[in-house]
Amino acid sequence: MTNKKILNGEKVIVKIGSRNIGGTNPPIFIAGPCSVESKEQIHEAAFALKEIGVDVLRGGVFKPRTSPYAFQGLGIQGLEYLKEAGEATGLPIVTELMDEGHMEIVGEYADIIQIGSRNMFNYSLLKAIGGLKQPILLKRGMCATIEEWMMAAEYIALHGNKNIILCERGIRSYDTYTRNTLDLAAVPIMQKETGLPIIVDPSHGTGIKELIEPMSKAALACGADGLMIEVHPDPSCALSDGHQSLNFEEYRKIREQL
Amino acid sequence: MTNKKILNGEKVIVKIGSRNIGGTNPPIFIAGPCSVESKEQIHEAAFALKEIGVDVLRGGVFKPRTSPYAFQGLGIQGLEYLKEAGEATGLPIVTELMDEGHMEIVGEYADIIQIGSRNMFNYSLLKAIGGLKQPILLKRGMCATIEEWMMAAEYIALHGNKNIILCERGIRSYDTYTRNTLDLAAVPIMQKETGLPIIVDPSHGTGIKELIEPMSKAALACGADGLMIEVHPDPSCALSDGHQSLNFEEYRKIREQL
Amino acid sequence: MTNKKILNGEKVIVKIGSRNIGGTNPPIFIAGPCSVESKEQIHEAAFALKEIGVDVLRGGVFKPRTSPYAFQGLGIQGLEYLKEAGEATGLPIVTELMDEGHMEIVGEYADIIQIGSRNMFNYSLLKAIGGLKQPILLKRGMCATIEEWMMAAEYIALHGNKNIILCERGIRSYDTYTRNTLDLAAVPIMQKETGLPIIVDPSHGTGIKELIEPMSKAALACGADGLMIEVHPDPSCALSDGHQSLNFEEYRKIREQL
Amino acid sequence: MTNKKILNGEKVIVKIGSRNIGGTNPPIFIAGPCSVESKEQIHEAAFALKEIGVDVLRGGVFKPRTSPYAFQGLGIQGLEYLKEAGEATGLPIVTELMDEGHMEIVGEYADIIQIGSRNMFNYSLLKAIGGLKQPILLKRGMCATIEEWMMAAEYIALHGNKNIILCERGIRSYDTYTRNTLDLAAVPIMQKETGLPIIVDPSHGTGIKELIEPMSKAALACGADGLMIEVHPDPSCALSDGHQSLNFEEYRKIREQL
């Protein structure tokens, strides 16, 4: 039933700063805290991660949280902190866009714009961001089929932007041991079907710190074009997702093995 | 883990025109085509359904479709047709809102505003519609847990609007015989947990015409506050969801038995 | 892909004692404890349930438990207690068979032989019980598709026994609020596809006492040929499934409403 | 809730012929056709695979098939062909046991005894095989949780046999692109939780030939103790699972890269 006119399997190479992602290019490493929590926190993370060797700094400022009473992110203030941290270290930054109302400012600040799992089916937003020129990091919806995910990317491409990096972050299954079921078969499938680069997020994909290393190795072994991992200066104090975040030393050890 | 400060189980009665929904009030019947396709089609549907005895006319004008190449709805033109059909018959109308950009006009035209399955996790939209005064029809996300669905309603309530009608429309499971797995246990659960009225959509919940009658009976038997069913003047020519739509005669027979 | 040569949709009426099940016959009520725990417990249950108006007494004696360290049932001793309780009250009895080694003795004692969810895919056992003359109560596997369930019944029929009563008991989904997701659409589907009677088990299907009444009503409303409900003299002391068992008074109230 | 008294995480090393599996030992390679179809077919496979470098020859002789009308395997005749092929090449053999009735003969012929996905919940069979001395290959049930799978292994161990090799073969999810969703996170989880070796079956885990290579690499990268892959002399003529089987040349290429 698929009808992909644009993302039809021909290789798409996405440029991030001086790096190329996709095809035979080496994998890209994205890391940072789940949420930007303060100027100090994101600057500390940026410098530590730069030194360890990451390519892109991540940090959420608009946070889609299950409960309306949970921390919702620092918003535009957080975006400024993130931008400054990126500029201070020379790292490109990626952050999530949740609605069109913030598209202009996020489009101005961010080097890569993330569409999170909860918005993969938000077709209005997908159409709108087709008008941006930055690369889009399109996470898989938590119950999106391969077909639906491909077509979500096609929405963006059809509206003008082929610079899409896919991100497998686990799908929902009946099992509760892990937070999600990381579907690594999606890596070679999506590469072949769409031609787009695809990275893997083992932090959300498992929700368990100890699984990040083996799943990162597995992701690269089956051809992933990069990894996005949550790293926080002090995971035990994180305002969101602390249980699945690595500290700098833990991340450094994994990074060295990859 | 739930922390519902507003929708805490105390009964919420929602008014639709002269009707009250929820609590011990009789069930409400919503019917109409998946999409508004033309002025003639929606007028024909409105008059036929009025005569059969529906309480609210449904019709989609902004359609969230898996493929960007599929029919995307008539948009504002369709909204006008739907409004006229509602006024001509005296039927309140319900239609889906997909983005904030259309909130003003949809808020002006529609008597009930639907948030579809694909946007249940779109927290920006949930916050925004909290500012509307109309009742909101909040469909369950296709893989939303009971907890997540409750909290999505809480987002709307916290931002100002407690007039929420929930709608169970089936969840995603491993089985492929039906389009979705209709989770009727959600009816008494959500009533007790939130206090809100809840209706059932057996059209999307099964995707099979022949199952609409037995599942409608089951839904009312376990306490559903209403039913939303897709009815089209000529299902075989429908631009979307024709295979699960009833024609007028089929709907009339079911309506008479309920 | 289905190829049902025997259970092809033609109505099958199953006889249990003086009762007929299936087609237009009234629903059958099966109740009893999850496990036979003692002679006193099952006799007390049998007399109380007989008085309330059940048609068949259930009780497990071979228990398939997730942990090998959990109570595994009283075995043949339990079977004798169950048989005596059935004879003392005149109630037919149903119990689960887990392996061929017990087929002869269970076949001698039980009026209906249950194949539980965990053994629906145990094709050796399905073939073997085809040689029994008693009615078989075939529960749906916890992740069995409609197709697989139909074919499991076909295995039994092909090996000689068409007296099959299906039992929908909930399937596994991503949601954790209920123990299983009760798939009531399976009721009309399986009746039409196989012609067999089908009953519903809301106790396992929800795992929540308070949901048994609404789900029982829903099951009968969509055409179920009966209900199987866990009832225990003192649920708080039950050796298995106490949290989802009703006591006699709770069951009586539900029974009166159905 | 887990209560593992025996398989508590302490490393278990399983011996297969002259090989040790588990812990820091190199991965083991198991290959062969889904079904033993003839003497010629299994001998041809055995010699070709021996030459390519497999460690164990697989072949099904009792086949659990969804339809009772599908090929059910050659039975004991097939077991003899398999045994002869193993002896002719010096390869240990693994085959599935479906019921206790065949336990003696399968126990006599096979070097490793497989419990398939459909029987992981067949506790009677698990208890019985605890009495065998051979290594048991315990596949994950198609909807088994991590907890349930651990406890299935514990059943075998408690009844006398700790020589268990686990096998991840994909779980059932809502997605239909692949036959199953290969849950590679189960590899490090089960190793840590039980101490047992675990291999991966990418043939059933994906159902797609082209995914066997990347998923095999991923499995070994995250620490799998081996791989089981379906290889058939002529997949297009296979009596079962031909679409997911490799021919010898395809397998040789993958084997060389691992």
Side-chain angles (χ1 to χ4, degrees):
Chain A
M1 99 177 191
T2 301
N3 186 10
K4 293 165 296 176
K5 296 186 182 162
I6 301 172
L7 304 171
N8 55 11
E10 200 181 324
K11 282 291 165 215
V12 174
I13 305 297
V14 177
K15 282 187 197 301
I16 306 295
S18 58
R19 293 287 310 273
N20 285 328
I21 307 174
T24 57
N25 290 292
I28 193 165
F29 294 91
I30 304 177
C34 178
S35 297
V36 175
E37 296 170 5
S38 70
K39 186 167 179 171
E40 293 67 34
Q41 175 241 24
I42 193 65
H43 275 257
E44 184 183 351
F47 280 95
L49 292 169
K50 169 76 175 182
E51 190 265 328
I52 295 171
V54 311
D55 301 301
V56 177
L57 178 66
R58 65 152 286 161
V61 299
F62 302 109
K63 300 299 301 174
R65 305 301 299 279
T66 300
S67 166
Y69 304 110
F71 175 59
Q72 306 275 311
L74 294 186
I76 293 169
Q77 180 67 268
L79 193 54
E80 285 170 3
Y81 296 155
L82 179 64
K83 185 66 176 170
E84 291 164 11
E87 288 175 344
T89 51
L91 290 174
I93 59 173
V94 56
T95 199
E96 180 170 349
L97 174 69
M98 281 177 64
D99 63 69
E100 260 185 271
H102 293 122
M103 200 167 71
E104 193 176 328
I105 191 162
V106 173
E108 190 183 327
Y109 280 64
D111 300 290
I112 307 176
I113 295 171
Q114 176 177 318
I115 299 296
S117 291
R118 288 169 184 77
N119 280 309
M120 194 213 80
F121 287 108
N122 181 348
Y123 297 128
S124 297
L125 188 59
L126 298 183
K127 289 178 183 178
I129 58 163
L132 291 176
K133 59 186 184 311
Q134 279 102 331
I136 305 299
L137 182 65
L138 179 65
K139 290 193 127 187
R140 183 176 186 176
M142 57 182 96
C143 65
T145 61
I146 289 289
E147 172 78 17
E148 290 166 339
W149 193 13
M150 292 192 293
M151 296 317 276
E154 188 79 7
Y155 260 101
I156 300 171
L158 180 62
H159 286 81
N161 192 343
K162 274 178 59 171
N163 293 306
I164 301 164
I165 303 168
L166 301 168
C167 180
E168 162 64 28
R169 47 75 73 198
I171 59 172
R172 202 155 259 191
S173 83
Y174 64 82
D175 199 10
T176 56
Y177 191 99
T178 47
R179 182 174 177 180
N180 290 291
T181 297
L182 191 64
D183 179 19
L184 288 179
V187 171
I189 292 170
M190 292 299 282
Q191 284 172 332
K192 183 185 163 225
E193 289 275 4
T194 66
L196 295 173
I198 176 170
I199 67 171
V200 170
D201 173 352
S203 303
H204 287 87
T206 66
I208 297 175
K209 277 169 65 160
E210 291 73 16
L211 295 175
I212 293 175
E213 180 185 322
M215 291 302 101
S216 292
K217 290 176 178 173
L220 296 184
C222 67
D225 298 291
L227 293 168
M228 181 157 73
I229 293 174
E230 289 189 342
V231 184
H232 190 282
D234 184 359
S236 64
C237 295
L239 295 181
S240 56
D241 281 355
H243 58 287
Q244 73 191 28
S245 293
L246 301 176
N247 64 31
F248 299 137
E249 274 320 293
E250 291 164 337
Y251 180 67
R252 182 194 302 275
K253 280 181 201 151
I254 290 173
R255 185 68 185 78
E256 283 167 357
Q257 290 190 53
L258 297 174
Chain B
M1 96 178 193
T2 301
N3 186 9
K4 293 165 296 177
K5 295 184 182 163
I6 300 172
L7 304 171
N8 54 13
E10 202 181 320
K11 282 290 166 217
V12 174
I13 305 297
V14 177
K15 282 187 195 301
I16 305 296
S18 58
R19 293 287 309 272
N20 285 328
I21 308 174
T24 56
N25 291 292
I28 193 164
F29 294 91
I30 304 176
C34 177
S35 298
V36 175
E37 296 171 3
S38 70
K39 186 168 177 170
E40 293 65 34
Q41 174 242 26
I42 192 66
H43 275 258
E44 183 183 354
F47 279 96
L49 292 169
K50 169 77 174 181
E51 190 265 327
I52 295 172
V54 310
D55 302 300
V56 177
L57 178 66
R58 65 152 287 163
V61 299
F62 303 108
K63 300 300 300 174
R65 305 299 300 279
T66 299
S67 167
Y69 305 109
F71 174 59
Q72 306 275 311
L74 292 186
I76 292 167
Q77 179 67 271
L79 193 55
E80 285 170 3
Y81 296 155
L82 179 65
K83 184 67 177 171
E84 292 165 9
E87 287 176 346
T89 52
L91 290 175
I93 59 172
V94 56
T95 199
E96 180 170 349
L97 174 68
M98 281 177 65
D99 63 70
E100 260 183 271
H102 294 121
M103 199 167 71
E104 195 176 327
I105 192 163
V106 173
E108 191 184 325
Y109 280 64
D111 301 289
I112 307 175
I113 295 172
Q114 176 177 320
I115 299 296
S117 290
R118 288 170 183 77
N119 280 311
M120 194 213 79
F121 287 108
N122 181 348
Y123 297 127
S124 297
L125 188 59
L126 298 183
K127 289 177 184 178
I129 59 163
L132 291 177
K133 59 184 186 310
Q134 278 101 331
I136 305 299
L137 182 64
L138 179 65
K139 290 193 127 186
R140 183 177 187 177
M142 59 181 94
C143 66
T145 62
I146 289 289
E147 172 78 18
E148 291 166 339
W149 192 14
M150 292 192 291
M151 297 316 276
E154 188 79 6
Y155 261 102
I156 300 171
L158 180 62
H159 287 82
N161 192 343
K162 274 178 59 171
N163 294 306
I164 302 164
I165 303 167
L166 300 167
C167 179
E168 163 63 28
R169 44 76 74 200
I171 58 173
R172 201 155 260 193
S173 82
Y174 62 82
D175 199 11
T176 55
Y177 191 99
T178 47
R179 181 173 177 182
N180 289 293
T181 297
L182 190 64
D183 179 18
L184 288 179
V187 171
I189 292 170
M190 293 299 281
Q191 284 172 333
K192 182 185 162 225
E193 289 274 4
T194 65
L196 295 172
I198 176 168
I199 66 170
V200 170
D201 172 354
S203 303
H204 287 87
T206 66
I208 298 174
K209 277 169 65 160
E210 290 74 15
L211 295 175
I212 293 174
E213 179 185 323
M215 291 302 102
S216 292
K217 290 176 176 173
L220 295 184
C222 66
D225 298 292
L227 293 168
M228 181 157 74
I229 293 174
E230 290 189 342
V231 184
H232 190 283
D234 184 359
S236 65
C237 296
L239 296 182
S240 55
D241 283 353
H243 58 288
Q244 72 192 28
S245 293
L246 301 176
N247 64 32
F248 300 137
E249 273 320 293
E250 290 164 336
Y251 180 67
R252 183 194 302 275
K253 279 180 202 153
I254 291 173
R255 185 69 184 79
E256 283 168 357
Q257 290 189 53
L258 297 174
Chain C
M1 98 179 193
T2 301
N3 186 9
K4 293 166 297 176
K5 296 185 181 161
I6 301 172
L7 305 171
N8 55 11
E10 201 180 323
K11 282 291 165 215
V12 175
I13 305 297
V14 177
K15 280 186 197 302
I16 306 294
S18 59
R19 293 286 311 272
N20 285 328
I21 308 174
T24 56
N25 292 291
I28 193 164
F29 293 90
I30 304 176
C34 178
S35 298
V36 175
E37 297 171 4
S38 69
K39 186 167 179 172
E40 293 67 34
Q41 175 241 27
I42 193 64
H43 275 257
E44 184 184 352
F47 279 95
L49 292 170
K50 169 77 175 181
E51 190 266 327
I52 295 171
V54 312
D55 302 300
V56 177
L57 178 66
R58 64 153 285 162
V61 300
F62 303 108
K63 300 299 301 173
R65 305 299 300 279
T66 301
S67 167
Y69 305 110
F71 174 60
Q72 307 273 312
L74 293 184
I76 292 168
Q77 179 69 267
L79 192 55
E80 285 170 4
Y81 295 154
L82 179 65
K83 185 66 177 170
E84 291 163 10
E87 288 175 344
T89 52
L91 289 174
I93 59 172
V94 57
T95 199
E96 180 170 349
L97 175 68
M98 282 177 64
D99 62 70
E100 260 184 271
H102 293 121
M103 200 167 72
E104 194 176 328
I105 191 162
V106 173
E108 189 184 327
Y109 280 64
D111 301 290
I112 308 175
I113 295 171
Q114 176 178 318
I115 298 297
S117 291
R118 289 169 183 77
N119 280 309
M120 195 213 80
F121 287 109
N122 181 347
Y123 297 128
S124 298
L125 188 59
L126 299 183
K127 289 178 183 177
I129 59 164
L132 291 177
K133 61 185 184 310
Q134 277 102 332
I136 306 298
L137 182 64
L138 179 64
K139 290 194 126 186
R140 182 177 186 177
M142 57 181 97
C143 66
T145 62
I146 290 289
E147 172 78 18
E148 290 166 339
W149 193 13
M150 292 192 293
M151 296 316 276
E154 188 80 8
Y155 262 101
I156 300 171
L158 179 62
H159 287 80
N161 192 344
K162 272 179 59 170
N163 293 306
I164 302 164
I165 303 168
L166 301 168
C167 179
E168 162 63 28
R169 45 75 73 199
I171 58 172
R172 202 154 258 192
S173 82
Y174 63 83
D175 200 10
T176 56
Y177 191 100
T178 46
R179 181 174 177 180
N180 290 291
T181 296
L182 190 64
D183 179 18
L184 288 179
V187 171
I189 292 170
M190 292 299 283
Q191 284 172 333
K192 184 186 161 223
E193 289 274 4
T194 66
L196 295 172
I198 176 169
I199 67 171
V200 171
D201 172 352
S203 303
H204 287 86
T206 67
I208 297 174
K209 277 169 65 160
E210 291 74 16
L211 295 175
I212 293 175
E213 180 186 322
M215 291 303 100
S216 292
K217 290 176 177 172
L220 295 184
C222 67
D225 298 292
L227 292 169
M228 180 157 72
I229 294 175
E230 289 189 341
V231 184
H232 191 281
D234 184 358
S236 64
C237 295
L239 295 182
S240 56
D241 282 354
H243 59 287
Q244 72 191 28
S245 292
L246 301 176
N247 63 33
F248 300 137
E249 274 320 293
E250 290 164 338
Y251 180 67
R252 182 193 303 276
K253 280 181 201 151
I254 290 172
R255 185 66 185 79
E256 283 167 358
Q257 291 189 54
L258 296 174
Chain D
M1 99 178 194
T2 302
N3 186 11
K4 292 165 296 177
K5 296 185 182 162
I6 301 171
L7 304 171
N8 54 13
E10 202 181 323
K11 283 290 165 217
V12 175
I13 305 298
V14 177
K15 282 186 197 299
I16 305 296
S18 58
R19 291 287 311 272
N20 285 328
I21 307 174
T24 57
N25 290 291
I28 192 164
F29 293 90
I30 304 176
C34 178
S35 297
V36 174
E37 297 171 3
S38 69
K39 186 168 178 171
E40 293 66 34
Q41 174 241 27
I42 193 66
H43 275 257
E44 183 183 354
F47 279 95
L49 292 169
K50 168 79 174 180
E51 189 266 327
I52 295 172
V54 310
D55 302 300
V56 178
L57 177 67
R58 65 152 286 163
V61 300
F62 302 110
K63 300 299 301 173
R65 305 300 299 278
T66 299
S67 167
Y69 304 110
F71 174 60
Q72 306 275 311
L74 293 186
I76 292 167
Q77 179 69 271
L79 192 55
E80 285 169 2
Y81 296 154
L82 179 64
K83 186 67 178 169
E84 292 165 10
E87 288 175 345
T89 52
L91 290 174
I93 58 172
V94 56
T95 199
E96 180 171 349
L97 174 68
M98 281 177 65
D99 63 69
E100 261 184 88
H102 293 121
M103 200 167 72
E104 194 176 327
I105 191 162
V106 173
E108 190 185 325
Y109 280 64
D111 301 289
I112 307 175
I113 295 172
Q114 176 177 318
I115 299 297
S117 290
R118 289 169 184 77
N119 280 310
M120 194 213 80
F121 287 108
N122 181 349
Y123 297 128
S124 298
L125 188 58
L126 299 183
K127 289 177 184 178
I129 58 163
L132 292 177
K133 59 184 185 310
Q134 278 102 332
I136 306 298
L137 182 65
L138 179 64
K139 290 194 128 186
R140 183 178 186 176
M142 59 181 93
C143 67
T145 61
I146 289 289
E147 172 78 18
E148 291 166 339
W149 193 13
M150 292 192 292
M151 296 316 277
E154 188 79 7
Y155 261 102
I156 300 171
L158 179 63
H159 287 81
N161 192 342
K162 274 178 58 171
N163 294 306
I164 302 164
I165 303 168
L166 302 166
C167 179
E168 163 64 29
R169 45 76 74 201
I171 59 173
R172 201 156 259 193
S173 82
Y174 63 83
D175 200 10
T176 55
Y177 192 98
T178 46
R179 180 173 177 182
N180 290 292
T181 297
L182 190 64
D183 180 18
L184 289 180
V187 171
I189 291 170
M190 293 299 281
Q191 284 173 333
K192 183 185 162 224
E193 290 274 4
T194 65
L196 296 172
I198 176 169
I199 67 171
V200 171
D201 172 353
S203 303
H204 287 87
T206 66
I208 297 174
K209 276 170 65 161
E210 289 74 16
L211 295 176
I212 292 175
E213 179 185 323
M215 291 303 101
S216 292
K217 291 176 176 173
L220 295 184
C222 67
D225 298 292
L227 293 168
M228 180 156 73
I229 293 174
E230 290 189 341
V231 185
H232 191 283
D234 184 358
S236 65
C237 295
L239 295 181
S240 56
D241 282 354
H243 58 288
Q244 71 192 28
S245 293
L246 300 176
N247 64 30
F248 300 137
E249 273 320 292
E250 291 163 336
Y251 181 67
R252 182 194 302 276
K253 280 182 201 151
I254 290 173
R255 185 68 185 80
E256 283 168 358
Q257 291 189 53
L258 297 174

